[in-house]
Amino acid sequence: MNKDQVKGRVNEAAGKVKEVAGKATGSTSTEIKGAAQKIAGKTQAAYGDAKEKAQK
């Protein structure tokens, strides 16, 4: 597992938490920021997955 995979999955999880917190508190701004962070984390994790696959 490389650093992009780890960072991506951490960002994905943090984004999900932020998104749920935004929904719970009624904060659309926090919800949108969380969704964006989650998508960025998925993208980074996918990049890390592809990078690791290419090295094999």
Side-chain angles (χ1 to χ4, degrees), residues 2-42:
N2 61 43
K3 68 179 181 176
D4 288 310
Q5 289 171 310
V6 174
K7 285 183 180 180
R9 290 194 173 74
V10 168
N11 276 330
E12 188 176 349
K16 181 66 177 175
V17 169
K18 198 179 287 186
E19 184 179 16
V20 170
K23 284 182 184 178
T25 61
S27 174
T28 307
S29 173
T30 302
E31 187 178 343
I32 291 170
K33 288 177 185 176
Q37 184 176 4
K38 185 171 73 171
I39 291 168
K42 282 185 180 185

